[in-house]
Amino acid sequence: GKPDEFFARFSVVCATCCTTETQLRLNEVCRRNGVKFFSGDTWGYYGYCFSDLGSHDYALEVPKDESENDVTLSLDGPRPKRRKRDGDIEMVTVKKSCCFCSLKDALSVEWPKKPPRYFKRFPPTFFIVRTLQSFKDRHKQDPLDSDSTEELLALRSEVLEQAGLPTELIGDSFASHCYEELSPVCAIVGGVLGQEIIKAISCKDIPLRNCFLYDGLRSTGVVEALEP
């Protein structure tokens, strides 16, 4: 592989289809050198992308009256709505900043400490992705066909047990929908990833913090702030 010095010279590093070990190494190199880091992957109907922008400054356009009132803007929510007035709305550019955690910290969340109500909204897609990533880490490749079903179900149980969660959180059916690359899923996940890279480079608009999870079976994409 490339030496650490190779990645230090870039403004952004994007790692796709990599093992967890490789992602952790690249993320650490990027953090040491002030390089923005992204990673992502897809398996059948499932996919994700992760971002670590370190300490990130960005510009955001807001209505002038909102900037004067020092309105707090959410990093994870939509941009503020423009208020209806007679005539044009005067917009001003304000500077904002945010901090991202490392991939290592994002994967170190202590799930047993989360209240039960947390998992009513938290997408199980995250644990499906971690199961598929575990398969890649073990075999250095993705599951190819139904011959991998039994191992995927066993890995699912391991991932959930390590998180202190019941196996029933993820049904067995996921193992039938994670083979090959599906163009629509790749387009959606890749589109979000590309959008976030452009926003990071241009330092404009609110970045997604810090993990996008996509479930093609439910046609749902969710942004979760994974932090210890």
Side-chain angles (χ1 to χ4, degrees):
K2 301 288 186 182
D4 293 355
E5 294 75 16
F6 174 82
F7 301 99
R9 61 182 179 172
F10 295 100
S11 299
V12 172
V13 168
C14 179
T16 59
C17 306
C18 295
T19 63
T20 301
E21 180 182 6
T22 298
Q23 292 181 59
L24 290 171
R25 176 207 160 205
L26 292 178
N27 187 208
E28 177 59 29
V29 172
C30 289
R31 287 183 72 85
R32 288 201 310 265
N33 293 279
V35 178
K36 302 184 187 304
F37 173 81
F38 293 87
S39 64
D41 208 339
T42 64
W43 298 269
Y45 285 88
Y46 306 104
Y48 83 96
C49 59
F50 172 83
S51 57
D52 174 12
L53 308 185
S55 180
H56 179 63
D57 298 323
Y58 61 96
L60 185 69
E61 282 194 346
V62 298
K64 185 177 181 181
D65 60 334
E66 292 191 8
S67 66
E68 291 175 344
N69 293 331
D70 192 27
V71 173
T72 300
L73 303 176
S74 170
L75 287 175
D76 305 309
R79 65 167 62 229
K81 295 180 180 180
R82 299 183 179 184
R83 298 177 182 174
K84 294 182 180 180
R85 290 181 178 177
D86 295 330
D88 295 333
I89 299 175
E90 184 178 358
M91 305 294 289
V92 296
T93 300
V94 296
K95 292 183 178 180
K96 292 288 181 177
S97 62
C98 56
C99 292
F100 286 69
C101 72
S102 67
L103 177 60
K104 181 179 179 180
D105 287 342
L107 296 178
S108 300
V109 175
E110 296 185 20
W111 299 108
K113 292 186 177 181
K114 300 289 186 182
R117 65 178 181 277
Y118 177 84
F119 296 99
K120 292 183 178 181
R121 69 163 189 82
F122 187 81
T125 311
F126 172 78
F127 299 104
I128 294 177
V129 165
R130 291 310 305 160
T131 297
L132 296 168
Q133 185 69 56
S134 295
F135 186 97
K136 182 191 289 286
D137 294 344
R138 178 178 294 183
H139 298 286
K140 311 305 179 190
Q141 68 176 31
D142 296 327
L144 300 177
D145 51 43
S146 57
D147 291 342
S148 304
T149 298
E150 185 175 345
E151 183 175 2
L152 286 172
L153 295 179
L155 285 171
R156 179 271 316 267
S157 298
E158 290 180 16
V159 168
L160 291 174
E161 286 174 6
Q162 290 174 3
L165 300 172
T167 303
E168 295 74 24
L169 186 65
I170 300 175
D172 294 353
S173 61
F174 86 94
S176 302
H177 301 97
C178 59
Y179 308 118
E180 305 298 339
E181 292 184 343
L182 299 180
S183 297
V185 175
C186 293
I188 292 171
V189 176
V192 172
L193 183 56
Q195 164 192 282
E196 291 307 301
I197 291 175
I198 291 174
K199 285 160 62 176
I201 294 173
S202 64
C203 295
K204 293 182 179 179
D205 294 323
I206 303 174
L208 298 184
R209 193 182 65 183
N210 54 356
C211 186
F212 173 74
L213 300 162
Y214 184 72
D215 181 343
L217 291 176
R218 295 182 173 85
S219 297
T220 56
V222 179
V223 177
E224 285 293 333
L226 300 176
E227 298 174 336

